[in-house]
């Protein structure tokens, strides 16, 4: 009987080429059981991040690879399964050089030679990570660097929200200008229409015979 760890590695070996062919990295794979179905959770990433279209593309490629492998007998029959494909969250630890590279510019907490360290990542190369720690530059080689944890910066969130508000205000101003323009245009049309109606009414009255004048009676 195939162990859970062995089956998981078999599935990973099958999916890795399919994900790599798209230019993505297979960051993690977990298989769990939910009743009669298996739940296959796959995390993918790439430089520049993953959007919804990329997740959908990866999901199709992974599903096709699983179906083909099952038909060929290359992997144990998983039976009915639910596939979940997603990108890494901010709480996922940074354990590979590519993880650090993708978080340049962010504040990360980690350990350096066993001591806690927290700073903004400024550069990443094959040897290690350079960080700005309280205004001082520090470089930590990968062998001495522990897993990193990205820190959420509320100031960045607030700035992003304010930027959206400014855009909304700009849109509101444009809308007000359009409404004012429409009001002015409507007013001109209404005024002209009123004058035209009055002129037509005056003309009609002049052309009509004087209905108030008494009729003459002719006697023979």
């Amino acid at each position: 009987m195939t162990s859970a760890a062995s089956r998981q590695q078999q599935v990973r070996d099958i999916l890795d080429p399919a994900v790599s062919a798209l230019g993505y990295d297979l960051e993690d794979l977990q298989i769990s059981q939910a009743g009669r179905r298996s739940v296959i959770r796959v995390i993918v990433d790439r430089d520049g991040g993953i959007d919804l279209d990329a997740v959908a593309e990866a999901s199709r490629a992974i599903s096709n690879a699983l179906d083909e492998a099952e038909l060929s007998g290359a992997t144990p029959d998983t039976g009915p399964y639910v596939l979940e494909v997603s990108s890494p969250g901010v709480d996922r630890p940074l354990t590979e050089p590519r993880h650090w590279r993708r978080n340049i510019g962010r504040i990360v907490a980690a350990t350096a030679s066993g001591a806690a360290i927290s700073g903004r990542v400024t550069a990443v190369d094959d040897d290690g990570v350079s960080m700005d720690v309280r205004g001082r530059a520090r470089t930590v080689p990968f062998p001495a660097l522990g897993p990193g944890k990205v820190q959420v910066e509320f100031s960045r969130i607030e700035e992003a929200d304010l930027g959206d508000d400014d855009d909304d205000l700009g849109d509101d101003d444009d809308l007000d200008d359009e409404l004012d323009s429409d009001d002015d245009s409507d007013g001109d049309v209404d005024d002209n229409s009123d004058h035209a109606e009055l002129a037509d009414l005056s003309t009609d009255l002049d052309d009509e015979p004087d209905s108030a004048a008494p009729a003459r009676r002719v006697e023979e």
Side-chain angles (χ1 to χ4, degrees), residues 120-181:
R120 192 175 300 279
V121 180
T122 57
V124 179
D125 57 24
D126 295 336
D127 298 323
V129 176
S130 296
M131 306 175 69
D132 181 345
V133 182
R134 298 180 180 179
R136 298 182 61 182
R138 181 172 179 182
T139 300
V140 182
F142 283 118
L145 187 63
K149 181 175 177 58
V150 176
Q151 305 299 293
V152 177
E153 298 180 71
F154 293 102
S155 60
R156 285 194 172 188
I157 297 175
E158 291 173 358
E159 289 173 2
D161 291 341
L162 288 175
D164 293 341
D165 292 342
D166 291 341
D167 292 340
D168 293 341
L169 289 175
D171 294 341
D172 292 341
D173 291 340
D174 293 340
L175 181 59
D176 292 340
D177 292 340
E178 291 177 4
L179 291 175
D180 291 341
S181 176

Side-chain angles (χ1 to χ4, degrees), residues 27 42-46 49-51 55 85-90 92:
E27 297 292 354
V42 182
I43 296 178
V44 297
D45 200 8
R46 66 176 174 184
I50 293 288
D51 57 16
V55 169
V85 180
S86 63
S87 61
V90 294
R92 186 168 183 80

